[in-house]
Amino acid sequence: MDLILVPLKLDLRAFAELNILYQMVTVFDASIWSYTTPTITRNIFTTPMIVADSSPPEFPPNSVSSRKKREGPKGCLLEQVKNRSPLDAAFKLEVSTLDETSQVKLFYSIGTQHGGTNVVDWTEMGGASLLVPTNDLPSGVPLYWTVKARNSQGLEAFSYCMLQTYDTSIPAGRIDPSYQFSSHPSKISGTVTVFDDSTLERSHEKAVGFSSGQYGNEFVTWDSLDIDKTTIRDGVDNDLKYFSVPRDGKLTTLNFKTANTSTAVECARLCLEYPIKCVSFDYEYHSETCDMYEVVQGPRATLRLSGTYKNFERLGVGHSSYVLYDKLDLHHATVYYINAKVTNTLGYTAYITSLGTTVDFTPPFTGPLGKAAEVKMQASRCSAAVTQRCIEVTWKENHK
């Protein structure tokens, strides 16, 4: 679009009238002097350079106000948007640039390494703030954003920011009940184990019910639950110290990587090369197969016996808490479920449940033994059999 502009125009005119026979007659009306400044003609979409620009754009320090500066790399602010559905995750990118003489265009790229473009190639931002809903970014690995500012002279400057992970899944985990069967009339316990890409909130909730999941709080209502980070396994001097004690079986889910290693220690070393992505692995001693996973046993994967497979879970990236309920009024032949409500800092919430503990106050029933001289019930505690596990021993007289 062309624009024609006359900044200034001066015109001095003279005007004279006479009254002749009661009528006004104009005897003079003309311009006696005029001046016009030069006309300016230009296209409004063309921005001429006022002076030659020999310097690239600058990224100023990030700031929220004139007094408070926000943490982060110069010129680049990045976060995953909170309180959205994990099925509709989004990131927010904000950039500030300075260039006194030129217009600046902004571009960004995303990679799995610093300055990389292998996830998202160079894309124009169209403004200093960008909100992008997407579930196409890889999760479980650090992602690096590169912001490029280019002025009218083609000079460029770069700023970098990153996310430790782009989380598109709810927290995963499980609750291992201390016992599948119990004869204790007042105690029930279990261990809550949670794995998640994002940081967990400080406080969560736990309950006991006759059903599993969100509504399993019929017996003990929801109350506070603190989940602590696990530690390195003591007594192990190789890379398996970062993993749990092996359990029989393999996970019933797809692995993200398979390799052949001569020992479980080598498999653990490979898993450690993926510090966030690999949270567990299965190792089969017969075929020397190493399968690595992004999940642990829980809602998204179960553990099934298969050959000589052993399952190892990563310590240090998970959180665990021992839960003990005491002074309860447990009933015979009832299954009790410990449930946990876990929330991360993105607002993603998951309900994690146990397999249940069956309370049994009666001994095994035998077949006909003939006429007994005496039938006696007693609390044998740990003297009934040498194979007994003497943990949380009950005083109930339930040995016949």
Side-chain angles (χ1 to χ4, degrees), residues 257-328:
K257 186 177 179 63
T258 298
N260 282 2
T261 60
S262 58
T263 64
V265 176
E266 292 183 17
C267 186
R269 189 175 302 118
L270 285 178
C271 185
L272 292 173
E273 294 179 2
Y274 302 88
I276 298 178
K277 194 177 183 68
C278 184
V279 296
S280 67
F281 71 86
D282 293 334
Y283 185 75
E284 187 178 37
Y285 289 85
H286 176 70
S287 62
E288 299 183 342
T289 301
C290 172
D291 297 328
M292 289 170 271
Y293 300 93
E294 299 180 75
V295 298
V296 296
Q297 181 188 1
R300 292 185 287 169
T302 58
L303 196 63
R304 298 288 177 86
L305 293 178
S306 177
T308 58
Y309 268 106
K310 296 286 186 179
N311 176 257
F312 298 78
E313 290 186 358
R314 180 82 180 272
L315 301 176
V317 296
H319 301 76
S320 65
S321 178
Y322 177 70
V323 176
L324 171 64
Y325 287 94
D326 201 357
K327 299 179 181 179
L328 301 178

Side-chain angles (χ1 to χ4, degrees), residues 11 53 106 128 224 294 358:
D11 190 15
D53 189 359
L106 297 172
S224 178
E294 299 180 75
T358 302

Side-chain angles (χ1 to χ4, degrees), residues 183-198:
S183 59
H184 203 291
S186 61
K187 286 186 179 182
I188 188 172
S189 62
T191 301
V192 182
T193 304
V194 181
F195 287 84
D196 194 43
D197 292 346
S198 301

Side-chain angles (χ1 to χ4, degrees), residues 56-59 97-100 102-107 124 148-152 155:
E58 295 181 358
F59 289 99
T97 57
L98 289 178
D99 196 305
E100 297 179 353
S102 300
Q103 288 187 338
V104 176
K105 288 185 177 182
L106 297 172
F107 306 84
E124 187 169 356
K148 175 170 61 178
R150 179 190 297 160
N151 64 15
S152 302
L155 301 177

Side-chain angles (χ1 to χ4, degrees), residues 165 167 196-202 204 319 343-347:
T165 181
D167 196 352
D196 194 43
D197 292 346
S198 301
T199 305
L200 296 179
E201 293 285 4
R202 289 182 175 273
H204 309 275
H319 301 76
T343 305
N344 64 18
T345 53
L346 292 175

Side-chain angles (χ1 to χ4, degrees), residues 203-207 222 225 227 339-343 349-352:
S203 182
H204 309 275
E205 294 180 85
K206 66 181 185 297
W222 295 104
L225 168 66
I227 299 179
N339 300 303
K341 179 183 178 182
V342 180
T343 305
T349 299
Y351 289 90
I352 302 173

